[in-house]
Each structure stands twice: as C-alpha cells, then as structure tokens.
C-alpha cells in the first residue's frame, strides 16, 4: 500500500513538472505558447492576441484526448501491456 502511495505522489509531482513546461514557437508573424499538458496558453497573429481561436483549439484538443481515452478504455486500456 505504501509503495502505491509513493508512486501516486511521484506521478503527481511529474504531472505538475510537465504542466509547468512551456514551449514557444514564433514563425511568419504567428506566436504560439503551449504548456507541457498540451494546452495552448497564448496565440498571437501579427502581434494581435486571438483568444477565440485559442479557446476553440483547446476545446478540440480536449475532445480529441477524451475520445482517445474512451477508445483505449474500450480496447482494454494498458492492462497487461507492461
């Protein structure tokens, strides 16, 4: 039981560390910042922030992740894979 608690604590710390990472790319007047948990934090086009586009993209990514998780569950998840 203690090992499981230690593993969960480690997983939580890892998750927080990954979420804190930010990757930023700027090309052709477009600048995008993405957090380690795959959420777009900032999106500017020619210096103008576009919150509406950012929100729609994040909604689409979340829906895609939910669909992938559902499909994995339907197929038995990762049980027995490791």
């Amino acid at each position: 039981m203690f090992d499981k608690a230690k593993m969960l604590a480690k997983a939580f710390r890892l998750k927080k560390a990954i979420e804190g990472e930010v990757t930023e790319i700027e090309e052709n007047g477009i600048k995008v910042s993405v957090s380690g948990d795959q959420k777009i934090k900032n999106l500017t086009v020619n210096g103008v922030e576009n919150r509406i586009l950012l929100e729609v993209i994040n909604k689409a990514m979340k829906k895609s992740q939910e669909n992938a998780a559902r499909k994995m569950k339907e197929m038995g998840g990762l049980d027995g894979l490791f």
Side-chain angles (χ1 to χ4, degrees):
M1 185 73 168
F2 184 67
D3 288 338
K4 186 174 183 179
K6 282 175 50 176
M7 284 179 25
L8 287 173
K10 186 175 181 179
F12 180 77
R13 286 192 307 274
L14 178 61
K15 179 181 181 286
K16 287 298 179 188
I18 289 171
E19 288 174 351
E21 294 291 318
V22 176
T23 301
E24 192 171 276
I25 301 292
E26 185 171 5
E27 289 184 14
N28 302 316
I30 299 171
K31 184 176 180 181
V32 180
S33 300
V34 181
S35 62
D37 59 346
Q38 305 300 297
K39 291 184 178 136
I40 297 175
K41 296 298 184 182
N42 190 26
L43 172 64
T44 58
V45 179
N46 296 323
V48 178
E49 188 172 14
N50 194 325
R51 299 291 306 167
I52 295 170
L53 183 57
L54 182 147
E55 290 172 13
V56 171
I57 292 170
N58 278 331
K59 284 180 184 179
M61 290 174 66
K62 182 177 180 182
K63 183 71 173 173
S64 173
Q65 292 167 349
E66 290 169 351
N67 289 341
R70 186 189 77 249
K71 188 68 167 179
M72 282 184 67
K73 186 176 180 181
E74 288 172 1
M75 297 179 73
L78 299 177
D79 292 340
L81 199 58
F82 296 100

